[in-house]
Amino acid sequence: MLSAVEYPLLDKVNTPDDLKKLSSSELERLCADLRSYIVRVLSTHPGHLASGLGIVELAVALHYVFNTPDDKLVWDVGHQAYPHKILTGRKRQFETIRTYGGISGFPKMTESEYDSFGTGHSSTSISAALGMAVAAHLQGNDSRNHIAVIGDGSMTGGMAFEALNNAGVAGANVLVILNDNGIAIDKSVGALNHYLTKITSSRTYNRFKTKIWDISGDNAFGQRIRRFFRKILLNLKSNFFKQSNMFEAFGFRYFGPIDGHNLPDLVKILQQLSTIKGPKLLHIVTQKGRGMDMAVQNPVVYHAPGEYDVETGERKLPSDKDQPLRYQDVFGYTILELAKQNLDIVGITPAMPTGCSLNIMMEAMPERVFDVGIAEQHAVTFAAGLATQGILPFCNIYSSFMQRAYDQVIHDVALQKLNVVLCLDRGGLVGEDGPTHHGIFDYAYFRPIPNLVIAAPMNENELRNMMYTAQLPDKGPFVIRYPRGKSVNADWKKPFQEIEIGKGRCLRNGKDIAILSVGHIGNTAMQAAQLLSTLGVEVGVYDCRFVKPLDESLLHEVVKTYSHIITIEDGVLKGGFGSAVVEFLADNGIGIPVHRLGIPDRFITHGSLRELHRECRIDVDAIVETVKNIVNEDFK
């Protein structure tokens, strides 16, 4: 429970209406309460820390000035919205964030009327806010404000610029707030980052323009003065003030940059902007992790630091001695090892070098690793272009984010049968990040695409061998999908071995019932088989390794030996690995019963992996129960 002694101002605020009752000095103290509360709660209930700390003043100012939820507020990316959640009726639920049955770590429309749009993936806010603004106009409600807060690197996504291009000519009542903190999860890259740095380091133009704006006033005469000076400034800006006019070229009125931690200034300018119709962009400069020294000093690590000491900020890390490496680290060390042997190998990531461990190769070979910003579509086609010239790109994208580059995989890679290795990190259920981040659709959405090889390792050595195999000559488009978290064995670095494409393996012989798996979940199948053995039931276990092409010779062997098949996958049942097995049996006129275990046809909530595996019935208990039901049905 909140303590009125520890958080005297925060204790008074349950909805944005309560904010409007506070004085300016009280609003400042409320910001301190908010930061302190977030730091305290997340020390024992891990979540996204540094991003939310950076926008505390902005969240307070927005809800103080605007009439939410009637005025629509969209946060992009949503992990920066923790202060917003606390201010909008979820203060006492905040300790449940990202836990099973608790509130989401991202804005979620079904969770609160203040969450105008769900934003787990980046660069969507301007499009969504524009849609809301156009809808309001069509419904005769032109007084409503529509605010898109875009930050943490989201402006580097191409979709944001598509929306700017549309909004600038639509004339809709949209306010875009560019939260410029110079960092996404890793440090922001690219020409846009350089442009924003140039703006924030040379403010002559902006001070001059703001002065004219303040003097001219909001009456008709003042509006004519503003239009006159705006025409002059657009011509002078690039030469006299050494500034480009990118946002104004899109048709937006540009304001800023201003200090995003100066609450009185934020309130003042937002009040002014709330009365100005049409597309506007406010550029604010913030500090990611503000209010916590450790987060400011290392915003990459403290983006989502896990548990930490609330007094010192020191992270509480489990001992990794004699523990398996995370799959992402196996990837990171292995690609560096392969790149030393094969000079054609390069690495590509859309703004996730640390998240996918390409930072390991980046530190050793910076000229051969490319962080392209939050731009999955570009990442894939960039890889395809490299491949046309004999370069071998390993393009690492989280499974959930790979959905955004689906057309590029089909049109630019698979159709042209280019040697591109697509590494899908975070395949399967990912836990506390929830439905926006679960990588459960990849088998199903990649399986229909011709020319693709789709592989999934059961452990760290299989991952290394699949990466080694994929970089051998003329393998074509190659997908390697692996999960979040630790691999299986501490002894991860063994000599490379080529894996025959489409070749599975028998892990355990059995009688009557065979379990077919693909990927890491094969370890769950083995645990279940061992437990069943103690109960006197022997089942066969097969690691198919490849979703495409399937090992048809292995499947023919299985159907000759066993009377029942169980398939298990940590992907959706609709169109996934189990469906591929059923299609094979149907195409070959084989009538053996198949019992499919996998992710059901619904979006899966957030929670621990243990809780989610139990909910989706892909844990050891579900396999054992399925086998028992088969045995009881056959032999009763």
Side-chain angles (χ1 to χ4, degrees):
M1 297 290 289
L2 286 179
S3 166
V5 176
E6 290 182 280
Y7 308 106
L9 268 300
L10 187 56
D11 187 63
K12 295 181 180 180
V13 177
N14 295 302
T15 70
D17 286 340
D18 296 326
L19 282 177
K20 302 179 189 339
K21 303 172 185 175
L22 301 180
S23 67
S24 296
S25 61
E26 286 177 319
L27 288 175
E28 297 267 16
R29 298 203 303 275
L30 173 65
C31 291
D33 275 7
L34 260 174
R35 282 199 171 89
S36 176
Y37 184 53
I38 291 170
V39 169
R40 197 202 80 188
V41 170
L42 296 189
S43 68
T44 54
H45 299 76
H48 296 98
L49 175 66
S51 298
L53 293 180
I55 56 87
V56 166
E57 287 84 5
L58 177 62
V60 169
L62 285 168
H63 284 295
Y64 179 78
V65 171
F66 292 100
N67 183 30
T68 57
D70 184 62
D71 287 334
K72 302 303 178 185
L73 180 55
V74 184
W75 295 91
D76 179 4
V77 172
H79 58 228
Q80 65 180 323
Y82 288 13
H84 157 82
K85 284 179 175 270
I86 295 169
L87 295 171
T88 54
R90 287 163 281 184
K91 178 174 57 181
R92 302 190 186 281
Q93 297 170 275
F94 189 59
E95 292 187 356
T96 72
I97 197 162
R98 290 164 45 92
T99 61
Y100 193 69
I103 63 174
S104 170
F106 298 91
K108 187 176 181 181
M109 292 178 66
T110 57
E111 185 179 287
S112 171
E113 63 179 340
Y114 291 94
D115 291 358
S116 299
F117 200 74
T119 48
H121 291 184
S122 81
S123 313
T124 62
S125 58
I126 305 174
S127 298
L130 176 59
M132 296 172 188
V134 171
H137 176 70
L138 293 173
Q139 294 162 355
N141 188 3
D142 288 323
S143 63
R144 176 179 290 160
N145 289 285
H146 307 86
I147 307 104
V149 182
I150 184 164
D152 268 18
S154 296
M155 191 62 90
T156 63
M159 186 175 175
F161 284 88
E162 294 174 22
L164 286 174
N165 182 58
N166 188 188
V169 297
N173 191 24
V174 174
L175 169 60
V176 175
I177 299 179
L178 173 55
N179 175 26
D180 176 11
N181 60 15
I183 194 165
I185 295 175
D186 289 273
K187 185 173 176 58
S188 295
V189 297
L192 177 63
N193 182 57
H194 295 161
Y195 167 74
L196 296 178
T197 301
K198 182 180 178 183
I199 291 178
T200 57
S201 62
S202 178
R203 304 189 179 187
T204 306
Y205 165 77
N206 299 292
R207 284 198 300 266
F208 183 60
K209 181 179 175 183
T210 300
K211 183 65 67 176
I212 292 172
W213 193 269
D214 289 340
I215 293 172
S216 61
D218 287 326
N219 54 37
F221 180 68
Q223 293 291 339
R224 288 197 296 273
I225 292 175
R226 291 176 183 179
R227 286 195 294 270
F228 173 74
F229 274 101
R230 186 166 182 265
K231 291 178 181 178
I232 294 174
L233 290 172
L234 283 173
N235 291 322
L236 289 177
K237 186 187 293 185
S238 61
N239 296 316
F240 185 72
F241 294 108
K242 306 301 182 185
Q243 294 273 296
S244 62
N245 59 358
M246 179 181 73
F247 296 115
E248 293 188 352
F250 274 109
F252 278 72
R253 295 183 182 179
Y254 173 86
F255 301 86
I258 69 168
D259 181 356
H261 301 299
N262 187 321
L263 185 59
D265 280 1
L266 272 176
V267 169
K268 180 180 177 182
I269 195 166
L270 288 174
Q271 287 172 335
Q272 293 173 344
L273 293 176
S274 69
T275 65
I276 300 171
K277 303 305 179 185
K280 308 162 290 288
L281 187 140
L282 173 62
H283 180 184
I284 70 171
V285 180
T286 62
Q287 183 182 54
K288 189 167 181 176
R290 188 177 182 87
M292 182 181 182
D293 289 343
M294 298 288 278
V296 170
Q297 294 163 13
N298 198 343
V300 174
V301 171
Y302 281 80
H303 176 79
E307 292 189 7
Y308 53 86
D309 185 281
V310 72
E311 299 297 333
T312 67
E314 292 287 343
R315 298 169 70 209
K316 298 178 181 179
L317 299 174
S319 173
D320 286 333
K321 185 178 180 181
D322 300 325
Q323 292 294 311
L325 281 185
R326 298 177 300 176
Y327 275 102
Q328 69 182 66
D329 293 331
V330 174
F331 165 83
Y333 288 117
T334 300
I335 191 173
L336 176 58
E337 186 178 349
L338 290 171
K340 289 178 179 177
Q341 301 172 15
N342 185 341
L343 299 182
D344 290 330
I345 289 177
V346 300
I348 300 171
T349 175
M352 299 297 293
T354 302
C356 72
S357 293
L358 256 178
N359 60 318
I360 295 171
M361 181 180 172
M362 183 179 284
E363 291 169 6
M365 304 175 174
E367 74 285 355
R368 291 170 62 186
V369 177
F370 303 92
D371 180 354
V372 300
I374 303 179
E376 292 83 4
Q377 293 172 296
H378 165 61
V380 171
T381 304
F382 174 52
L386 286 163
T388 65
Q389 303 305 305
I391 301 297
L392 180 60
F394 277 69
C395 186
N396 193 306
I397 301 178
Y398 287 9
S399 171
S400 180
F401 301 154
M402 182 62 83
Q403 296 161 188
R404 314 184 82 180
Y406 191 61
D407 178 65
Q408 286 68 31
V409 173
I410 295 174
H411 183 274
D412 301 334
V413 175
L415 179 63
Q416 303 181 105
K417 205 170 184 180
L418 293 172
N419 293 328
V420 174
V421 185
L422 300 172
C423 297
L424 273 59
D425 197 340
R426 272 61 167 181
L429 295 167
V430 297
E432 292 80 3
D433 277 340
T436 60
H437 282 59
H438 293 320
I440 57 177
F441 301 106
D442 43 21
Y443 292 150
Y445 68 61
F446 272 153
R447 200 167 65 83
I449 302 175
N451 295 336
L452 286 190
V453 171
I454 307 172
M458 184 174 164
N459 57 40
E460 62 291 325
N461 293 309
E462 289 284 291
L463 173 56
R464 282 172 54 78
N465 290 334
M466 287 175 180
M467 292 176 66
Y468 172 76
T469 301
Q471 58 89 48
L472 294 173
D474 301 321
K475 295 301 182 184
F478 205 115
V479 177
I480 305 174
R481 185 254 209 189
Y482 52 91
R484 179 186 188 184
K486 291 187 181 296
S487 55
V488 181
N489 304 297
D491 183 19
W492 65 274
K493 191 173 182 179
K494 294 183 177 179
F496 291 121
Q497 293 183 346
E498 182 178 358
I499 296 176
E500 183 180 345
I501 302 296
K503 188 68 175 177
R505 55 182 181 155
C506 177
L507 301 176
R508 182 186 182 105
N509 289 309
K511 181 182 179 183
D512 297 320
I513 300 170
I515 302 174
L516 306 182
S517 67
V518 64
H520 179 82
I521 204 165
N523 297 288
T524 304
M526 284 295 290
Q527 293 171 21
Q530 291 161 6
L531 178 58
L532 285 162
S533 181
T534 66
L535 302 176
V537 180
E538 298 294 337
V539 298
V541 181
Y542 294 80
D543 172 25
C544 290
R545 285 179 168 157
F546 295 88
V547 173
K548 186 175 184 177
L550 282 175
D551 188 342
E552 296 190 357
S553 62
L554 181 144
L555 291 177
H556 280 295
E557 174 188 327
V558 166
V559 297
K560 290 178 182 177
T561 309
Y562 300 90
S563 57
H564 287 268
I565 291 175
I566 298 172
T567 65
I568 184 164
E569 59 195 301
D570 54 349
V572 292
L573 286 169
K574 299 285 187 182
F577 166 66
S579 293
V581 172
V582 170
E583 289 168 15
F584 164 80
L585 297 176
D587 290 345
N588 287 273
I590 300 170
I592 185 173
V594 178
H595 311 262
R596 296 183 300 139
L597 302 179
I599 310 300
D601 188 24
R602 66 174 186 270
F603 289 106
I604 307 303
T605 186
H606 54 274
S608 70
L609 283 178
R610 181 184 296 274
E611 291 166 330
L612 300 185
H613 285 179
R614 181 176 65 244
E615 177 181 317
C616 294
R617 295 190 48 74
I618 56 172
D619 59 356
V620 169
D621 290 344
I623 297 173
V624 170
E625 182 181 342
T626 301
V627 170
K628 286 182 176 179
N629 289 339
I630 293 171
V631 170
N632 291 336
E633 183 67 26
D634 272 14
F635 301 106
K636 66 182 179 182

